[in-house]
Amino acid sequence: MNDRVLSVLEFPKIKEQLMAHTSSYIGKEKVEKLTPVFDYDWVVEQQRATEEGSTVLRLKGSVPLGGIRDIRASIKRARIGGMLNAEELLDIASTLYGGRQTKTFIEQLLEDIELPILENLAQQISSLKALEQEINACIDEHGEVMDAASPTLRQVRAQIRTFESRSREKLEQMIRSSSAQKMLQDAIITIRNDRYCIPIKPEYRNHFGGIVHDQSASGATLFIEPSAVVTINNQLREAKVKEEKEIEKILRQLSDRVMEAVEELDVNIQALADIDFIFAKAYYAKSLQGVQPKVNQEGYFHLKQARHPLISKEEIVPITFELGDSYSSMVITGPNTGGKTVTLKTLGLLTLMTCAGLAVPAEEETEIAVVSNIYADIGDEQSIEQSLSTFSSHMTNIVRILQELDDQSLVLFDELGAGTDPTEGAALAMAILDDVYNRGARVVATTHYSELKAYAYSKEGVMNASVEFDVETLRPTYRLLVGVPGKSNAFSIAHRLGLSDDIIKQAQGQLGEDDTRVEAMIASLEENRKQAEKDRTEADRYKQEVQKLRHELQQKEEKLESEKQHRIEEAEKKANEYFTKRMQEADEIIQTLRDKASKDETVKEHVLIDAKKQLDDLKETTERKSKPAKTNKAKKKGAQSFRAGDEVYVHTFGQKGHIVEKASDKEFLVQIGIMKMKVATDQMEKVHREQQPKVAPRPTVKTANEPAKMEVDLRGQTTDEAILQVDRYLDQALLSGYQQVYVIHGKGTGQLRKGVQDFLRKHKRVKNIRLGGAGEGGSGVTVAELT
C-alpha cells in the first residue's frame, strides 16, 4: 500500500482515534502496525471479529481488560535463564490475572451467543494460576519482596530491625546528652554509606572517635559513625547482605518458574493483544455509530448515508451513491468548497477502513468492494525544489497510477486536468478517464470543465454527479446529487453580488451554442430532480397514511371477529346451561316415575328409556344448531354466474350480503354488514329479487335468547317503509343490548338516507348518528349510537 495515498486519505488519523480505545501497550502496538489488506478472505475474517466485539459491547457495555502489561522483554530474558526483578514478576502476575479474567468473561458469554473468533482466542489463554499465586505470595503490590517469601528472609529481616533499633537508641542517647549538644551541628541521626551517623562540628572530631563517612560542602559539618555503634552497624550490614542474597535466591526461583511457562506466556500475550485489538475496533465502531459493511469482490460500492469519520457529526452532510454496477466511472462537478474533495476522500477512506477490518460511519446495507489497490491524486503538490508546477506534479502522479492500476483498482482524481489550458486540460482529462474505464477500474473524478459534464452525459458507463449550491444564500449545501451535472452558477452569483445586468448579458452572449445547450440541459435536469424529489416525498406520505389506515382497519376487523366469537361462545354457554338444567329436571321426573313404577305395574321401564332418549336427542340437536355450519348447504343444480351488485346468501356465515367485485376466478369480494371478505363461489348462492316482495318484511319477534343482527338493510324500500322497519328494528336492538347499530340505506339519490337520518335524529333512544367510515360502507351506511 502506497504510504502517500494513506496520508492523503488521512488513514493515520483514523489509527490515532482507534488507538485511544486500546487497553494495553500491546494493543496499541497492533494498531500502530495496522494497514489495509486487499485480500477478500482476510477482510471478511477481520470484519467478523469486529462484529463479534460490537455484539459483546451491545450486550455487556464493557470488557474487563485491565492489568495486561507488555511482558515480552521479561519473557525473552527468562527464556535464556536471566533473573527477573520484582517489578517484572509483578507485571507477569498482573497479566496472568487480566488474561484469566478475560478468558472467564468470554467463556460465560459463549453460553448465550456464538463468538467463534473470540472463543478461539480465549481457548489459547493458559490460566497459570499457580504461577500467579506464587509471585503474589512473594511480592507485594509495591514490587517489594515480602517477609513471608521464605523463613530465612523473615529471620534475617527480624535481625535487621533489631540492629537498626539498637543503633538508633545509642545514637539518640548521644544526641540527647547535654554535654554533646555543643558538639553537634544538628541533633539528628542520618545515614551515610548505609551507616547510621551523626553530624558534628570539625573541632570535636576526636571526642566521639569512630569513622568519618562524609563532610558537608563547606567543611563545617562532619558525618561521623561513633565507635560505640560501629560494631552494631557492622552486624546490621552483614544482615543486609544476607537479606540481599535471600531476595536474589527468591527472585531466581520465581524466574525459573517463569522460564518453565515461557511458551504459554508467549501465546497468552499474543491472544490478549488480538482480543484488545478486536475490542478497540468495537469501541471505535460504537463511537462512530458505525456499521459492518457488506464486502464483495465484484467492484461494487453502495454508500448509504456515509459520513467522513474525521468531520464532526454536526457539520457533515451524509452522502449516498453507487458505483460499479450500471456505471463504473463518476464525474463530480460543482463549486469550490462544495464538498467534491470530501466525497472523494469519504469513498477512499471508508474503503481503506473496510480493508483494515474497521466499521464505517454509514447506515445498514452499505456495501464496499475489496479492491486490489487504491490510487489517489488529490491536492496540490507543486515543488519548487524539483521545479514542478501544479500541472506537472499532477501528471507525474497520474502517470505512475496509470502504470500500476489494474481492473480491480479504485482510482480517485481530484480536479483532473487542472493547472493548464482549459481546452487541452479537458481533452486530456477525457482521454485519461477513457483509458481507466477501458481497463475496467473504478474511477471517481472531480472537475470544473463543462466538456466533462457532456462527456459523462453521453458516455455509457459514466455517471454525472454534482454537489448542490444554493444560489439564494450563495452557499454550498454539500449534498451529493447523482445523475445531475453541476452548474457553474457564475452568472447567478455575479448577479446576486450586484454585477450589472448589461455586463451579465454581454458575458452570456460570449458563450458558445454548445455551452448554452449544456447549461439549459443542466437546468432542466435540476428542475426534474426537484420535482421527482417532491413527488417521492408526497408518495411516501400517502404510503404511510395508507399503511396506517390499513393497520386500523385490520385492528377493527380483528376486534369485530373477537366480539363475534365471544357472543357465539356466550350463546352456546347459555344454551348448554339451559338444557343442562332441563336435563336435570327431566332426570328428577324420570326418577320419580321409576319410584312409582316399582310400586305400579302399569308404568313400564321401556317407556322411561324412550323418554330419556328423546330428551338426549333434543339436546344434541340444539347444540348442533347453535354452532356455525362447517359444511356447505346443498348447491343448486347447474353452475351459477355472479357479478358485482348481486345479492347473495353466504352459507359459511348464514347471512346475506352483496358482491362488491371479482377477486379471482373462484372468489368474489362480498360485503356482509360492515365487513368485506373473500368468498368462494361454492360457498354462496344468488338471492333472486323476483322471489322477494318489495314490501317491507315484517320483522320476526326476537326472544331474549335470539338477539337481533347489528345491521338492518333498507335498500329497495320507500322512505315510509324504511322508517317503519327502522322503528321496529331499534326496539329489537335495544332489547339485545346493542350500543351501536348499522342502518344500510345505500347511496342512490340520497332521499332514503335523508328520511332515515331525520327519523333517527328525532328518536329518543338514539344518542348520535354518523356516516360509515372506511370499511363500514361509507355514505351508504348510517351508524347510530344508542343510549
Side-chain angles (χ1 to χ4, degrees), residues 161-191:
R161 287 190 285 272
T162 300
F163 292 141
E164 285 178 341
S165 177
R166 290 170 56 189
S167 178
R168 292 183 67 86
E169 285 177 3
K170 284 189 174 292
L171 292 175
E172 285 174 358
Q173 289 175 1
M174 291 181 184
I175 63 178
R176 286 199 300 267
S177 170
S178 57
S179 60
Q181 291 291 325
K182 62 179 181 178
M183 304 179 192
L184 297 174
Q185 198 67 266
D186 287 303
I188 60 173
I189 300 172
T190 184
I191 296 176

Side-chain angles (χ1 to χ4, degrees), residues 233-449:
N233 280 347
N234 287 339
Q235 293 173 331
L236 176 61
R237 181 60 186 162
E238 290 175 3
K240 287 187 174 181
V241 170
K242 290 181 181 179
E243 178 191 30
E244 290 174 0
K245 289 182 178 179
E246 185 62 22
I247 288 174
E248 182 178 345
K249 177 183 176 183
I250 292 168
L251 295 178
R252 169 60 62 188
Q253 290 174 346
L254 293 175
S255 299
D256 289 343
R257 288 283 292 112
V258 172
M259 182 174 65
E260 295 172 2
V262 289
E263 299 302 331
E264 291 93 333
L265 289 172
D266 260 338
V267 175
N268 277 17
I269 207 68
Q270 291 301 324
L272 289 171
D274 289 338
I275 291 174
D276 188 10
F277 179 59
I278 287 173
F279 284 114
K281 293 192 293 181
Y283 278 115
Y284 185 49
K286 184 178 180 180
S287 70
L288 288 178
Q289 295 181 347
V291 299
Q292 256 47 67
K294 298 178 182 178
V295 295
N296 66 79
Q297 304 179 81
E298 289 74 40
Y300 174 67
F301 295 83
H302 179 203
L303 300 188
K304 188 173 181 182
Q305 295 295 299
R307 310 181 302 276
H308 194 289
L310 300 178
I311 302 177
S312 68
K313 298 172 186 174
E314 292 74 21
E315 298 178 5
I316 190 66
V317 176
I319 60 173
T320 297
F321 75 90
E322 296 183 58
L323 182 70
D325 187 10
S326 57
Y327 52 90
S328 60
S329 301
M330 179 178 286
V331 177
I332 304 176
T333 51
N336 289 325
T337 70
K340 300 190 303 297
T341 303
V342 171
T343 299
L344 280 187
K345 288 188 173 183
T346 300
L347 173 60
L349 184 54
L350 265 57
T351 304
L352 290 177
M353 292 173 67
T354 298
C355 293
L358 302 177
V360 297
E363 289 189 359
E364 296 289 348
E365 298 180 5
T366 289
E367 189 164 357
I368 294 178
V370 179
V371 295
S372 61
N373 211 331
I374 299 178
Y375 300 97
D377 179 58
I378 300 175
D380 187 359
E381 296 189 9
Q382 62 176 329
S383 171
I384 296 176
E385 294 179 359
Q386 299 177 18
S387 301
L388 293 176
S389 66
T390 299
F391 179 75
S392 298
S393 65
H394 279 297
M395 279 300 109
T396 301
N397 193 31
I398 290 172
V399 168
R400 181 186 58 80
I401 291 172
L402 295 177
Q403 290 173 346
E404 296 179 6
L405 67 85
D406 58 24
D407 62 343
Q408 297 297 318
S409 300
L410 173 63
V411 185
L412 308 173
F413 290 130
D414 191 24
E415 300 296 348
L416 183 59
T420 187
D421 177 77
T423 303
E424 293 180 355
L428 192 58
M430 286 188 284
I432 292 171
L433 288 175
D434 273 340
D435 182 69
V436 177
Y437 175 80
N438 292 333
R439 292 163 68 175
R442 307 294 182 262
V443 58
V444 181
T446 67
T447 184
H448 283 288
Y449 294 143

